Amino acid sequence: MEAKELDKAICEAASDKKARDIVSMDMRELTPTCDYFVVCSANTATQVRAIADNIEEKLAEQGESFLHKEGYREGEWILMDYGDVVAHIFRQEAREYYALEHLWADAKLTPYED
């Protein structure tokens, strides 16, 4: 799957579980490690895990599996590395604290609209 297709599939899977404020960050000019970040948030750790589970399940159905996942047990910030695309699923408070959109302010942001 191409990076842009993977980005869209992650956004859709997050949206299916009512993730809030889903944005795609174009990282191609900023880092050699990936092409896109998908950033989204949820109200509770349970919802953060449900979003991560749905992303994993929906992408697995399309033959894609993550290379690395961390933060699942705590449910505050789950990172799922799919190679060209890295998904960041935050509890709202953690998203505000880490502020990836501000840290990587040079990245072009595209809000996801279903």
Side-chain angles (χ1 to χ4, degrees):
M1 187 179 291
E2 295 291 321
K4 193 63 186 160
E5 294 172 306
L6 189 57
D7 176 77
K8 184 177 182 201
I10 290 170
C11 288
E12 288 173 355
S15 179
D16 287 348
K17 291 298 177 182
K18 310 294 185 221
R20 292 195 337 243
D21 303 322
I22 304 168
V23 296
S24 174
M25 299 174 65
D26 188 337
M27 305 299 288
R28 292 175 291 183
E29 300 296 321
L30 303 175
T31 179
T33 59
C34 68
D35 291 343
Y36 299 96
F37 280 175
V38 172
V39 181
C40 63
S41 51
N43 290 326
T44 66
T46 300
Q47 186 185 12
V48 169
R49 286 189 286 271
I51 292 166
D53 290 344
N54 199 55
I55 291 169
E56 183 176 350
E57 179 181 316
K58 295 294 183 183
L59 270 64
E61 289 171 2
Q62 298 177 52
E64 299 290 334
S65 57
F66 60 83
L67 303 172
H68 180 73
K69 176 170 73 173
E70 60 185 70
Y72 188 86
R73 187 178 327 163
E74 297 82 6
E76 292 294 314
W77 174 7
I78 298 175
L79 179 145
M80 301 176 77
D81 181 354
Y82 280 90
D84 290 336
V85 182
V86 178
H88 299 271
I89 307 118
F90 287 99
R91 261 190 72 220
Q92 186 61 42
E93 296 82 7
R95 183 175 183 172
E96 291 167 9
Y97 179 80
Y98 290 105
L100 290 188
E101 293 98 326
H102 297 292
L103 181 64
W104 294 95
D106 291 339
K108 178 184 175 207
L109 294 180
T110 304
Y112 174 75
E113 298 177 21
D114 34 337

